Amino acid sequence: MLRSCDIFCNVVDNYGDIGVCWRLARQLANEQGLAVRLWVDDVASFAKLCSAADADGEVQQCRGVTVLHWRADADCVLHPMADLVIAAFACRLPDGYLQAMAALPVAPVWVNLDYLSAESWVEGCHGLPSPHPSLPLTKYFFFPGFTGKTGGLLLEHDLLHRRDEFMQDEALQSRFWQALGMTVPASNVLKVSLFAYENAALSGLFEAWSGGERDVLCLVPEGRIVPQVGTYFGTEPISGGQYVQGRLTVRVLPFVEQEAYDALLWACDLNFVRGEDSCVRAQWAGKPFVWQIYPQHDAVHWDKLKAFLDLYGQGMGVRAGLAMRNFWQAWNAEDGAGAAWPEFAAALGELEAYAPCWSEGLAKNNLALNLLDFCLEMGRMRAFKIEGQSS
Ligand code: TRH
């Protein structure tokens, strides 16, 4: 039986690492009934995602999860030790913790939760064991992904139901806009959310929108792209501020909790997302989206982007697929997004019809459930081996 879990998260950059860990921790605790400890080395980043959290807290209870500050010198051995240990994104577990795992009569199942990629090699690596060089421990690689041969994607049990309810309920939608201090936008306004890294293509895109044929309302969560919004409008943007140029209205929004960010994605017609977790959430939103991939110094992110485009584009018409590819390419290359916009805008109708079918197809492959099945299987195999050895 799996009763408890330790998740270790080393925040490299931004909010994706802790965003994924926090989401998984809540699911394992609140949906699967595990006692979950989330060890994070940057509690301040975690507190951005959880408004009730104390950014300086050493140990705190947050929404059913025990969140602990993972200090560099901590050995993190707390008894009873967890049945399942998740090292997120190849983070290194403390030596003392590994030794304590190895000293147990039955070691916990140890999983490395990897980054998300649509590349085909993921299917071959998902679930592979990696024996520890000196201790009697085996780590297993668990890869999220988009196909049945991968670990799937994080999906809360009621997410799609809540999304559909929101889409069908005008009162809920109007409350959403009111909470932003706005009235419900007219139906002909293109509502766009823009969560992005710095991007030199922004001003060209804003030009295309401000001089375009349709009113655009662009909602920008506080973050790395905001200074460029300021450069375009010649001002220093503030949260809640609204800026207008031609047919374009931009509004800067505060950074909100993950559930409220989902509602933003549901409320918009088109979502610009970045990194990993927001990209997955945009897919669950069932709306057209534009993905700015996390740039890597050796440029391997272009292969990842292409792999996803190939997979996602498989089920759509040639013209829409090409328009999407060209626009995503321009946005990620930070060049030519304004020029690529008209074709992309013309494809939005088809992309809108396609997106819910895609999310429905993905929903069968739930990461948290797959992870627990995988761990139970590994646990059974190991118990079998131990029994075999002792008889
Ligand atoms: O913040 P990111 O750029 O994180 C990235 C990626 O994960 C990347 O793969 C990783 O290697 C790098 O960090 C170090 O983008 P991402 O993954 O979308 O994470 C953002 C999180 O923030 C996500 O969980 C959604 C959440 N979010 C909110 O909770 N509220 C908000 O208002 C917004 C805009 C986002």
Side-chain angles (χ1 to χ4, degrees):
M1 257 182 83
L2 290 173
R3 283 156 304 209
S4 56
C5 170
D6 273 349
I7 302 177
F8 287 87
C9 177
N10 166 21
V11 176
V12 176
D13 200 2
N14 305 307
Y15 300 105
D17 308 299
I18 185 61
V20 167
C21 292
W22 174 226
R23 200 180 285 293
L24 175 62
R26 290 200 317 276
Q27 255 183 278
L28 293 179
N30 302 324
E31 296 183 19
Q32 303 303 325
L34 268 67
V36 180
R37 290 185 290 232
L38 171 58
W39 293 90
V40 56
D41 62 350
D42 176 355
V43 183
S45 289
F46 164 69
K48 279 285 273 186
L49 298 176
C50 176
S51 57
D54 172 1
D56 299 315
E58 289 298 314
V59 183
Q60 50 192 316
Q61 284 300 322
C62 301
R63 300 184 59 183
V65 176
T66 306
V67 180
L68 301 106
H69 187 182
W70 181 14
R71 291 188 173 276
D73 54 357
D75 73 3
C76 307
V77 178
L78 293 179
H79 293 284
M81 288 197 74
D83 303 317
L84 164 60
V85 177
I86 300 173
F89 313 120
C91 71
R92 219 182 105 95
L93 299 184
D95 289 338
Y97 189 89
L98 287 173
Q99 277 151 16
M101 274 166 69
L104 290 170
V106 178
V109 179
W110 176 20
V111 164
N112 180 69
L113 175 66
D114 239 289
Y115 283 110
L116 173 65
S117 172
E119 289 162 297
S120 54
W121 59 262
V122 166
E123 290 185 345
C125 294
H126 174 56
L128 286 183
S130 166
H132 190 276
S134 53
L135 295 170
L137 292 172
T138 300
K139 170 171 75 179
Y140 295 92
F141 291 100
F142 194 91
F143 279 86
F146 302 93
T147 68
K149 291 183 182 158
T150 68
L153 299 173
L154 281 171
L155 171 64
E156 295 79 3
H157 73 108
D158 60 347
L159 181 79
L160 300 185
H161 173 72
R162 286 191 285 114
R163 175 197 70 182
D164 294 345
E165 218 170 42
F166 182 89
M167 303 290 195
Q168 285 151 18
D169 189 335
E170 286 185 9
L172 275 180
Q173 291 168 28
S174 121
R175 274 209 292 282
F176 168 83
W177 292 106
Q178 271 167 17
L180 295 182
M182 304 171 77
T183 51
V184 181
S187 57
N188 59 341
V189 174
L190 181 72
K191 302 176 290 300
V192 180
S193 77
L194 182 73
F195 179 44
Y197 305 119
E198 300 78 5
N199 194 318
L202 184 71
S203 59
L205 184 60
F206 274 6
E207 277 300 285
W209 286 348
S210 68
E213 290 166 2
R214 191 172 173 186
D215 288 335
V216 175
L217 171 64
C218 177
L219 302 165
V220 186
E222 270 174 326
R224 289 171 55 173
I225 192 92
V226 169
Q228 278 176 285
V229 172
T231 305
Y232 181 80
F233 286 100
T235 183
E236 201 162 310
I238 51 163
S239 178
Q242 190 158 299
Y243 311 93
V244 182
Q245 174 76 46
R247 303 198 79 158
L248 168 66
T249 300
V250 173
R251 194 169 175 111
V252 178
L253 305 181
F255 195 91
V256 289
E257 293 212 340
Q258 285 178 324
E259 286 88 348
Y261 178 59
D262 280 328
L264 174 66
L265 299 173
W266 303 339
C268 288
D269 306 304
L270 171 64
N271 295 304
F272 285 70
V273 287
R274 71 181 208 195
E276 176 169 327
D277 193 51
S278 58
C279 178
V280 173
R281 304 316 282 184
Q283 291 170 62
W284 294 137
K287 296 289 185 86
F289 69 103
V290 179
W291 183 28
Q292 186 179 17
I293 193 166
Y294 182 77
Q296 286 169 272
H297 60 90
D298 45 7
V300 290
H301 58 285
W302 284 106
D303 294 334
K304 281 177 78 168
L305 185 70
K306 184 180 176 306
F308 181 75
L309 275 164
D310 288 347
L311 200 65
Y312 187 65
Q314 259 171 21
M316 64 180 67
V318 177
R319 247 183 101 173
L322 190 63
M324 178 181 78
R325 199 173 278 273
N326 288 341
F327 190 75
W328 284 34
Q329 159 79 28
W331 186 241
N332 280 279
E334 302 189 36
D335 186 22
W341 172 252
E343 284 288 314
F344 185 68
L348 280 179
E350 186 174 335
L351 296 176
E352 191 183 329
Y354 177 77
C357 309
W358 171 259
S359 74
E360 209 171 297
L362 292 181
K364 296 172 199 109
N365 205 9
N366 184 311
L367 190 144
L369 299 182
N370 291 340
L371 179 66
L372 292 185
D373 284 348
F374 178 83
C375 294
L376 287 173
E377 188 54 31
M378 292 308 112
R380 256 197 298 274
M381 274 170 47
R382 232 184 12 200
F384 181 71
K385 265 197 216 150
I386 291 167
E387 272 170 30
Q389 279 160 10
S390 59
S391 63

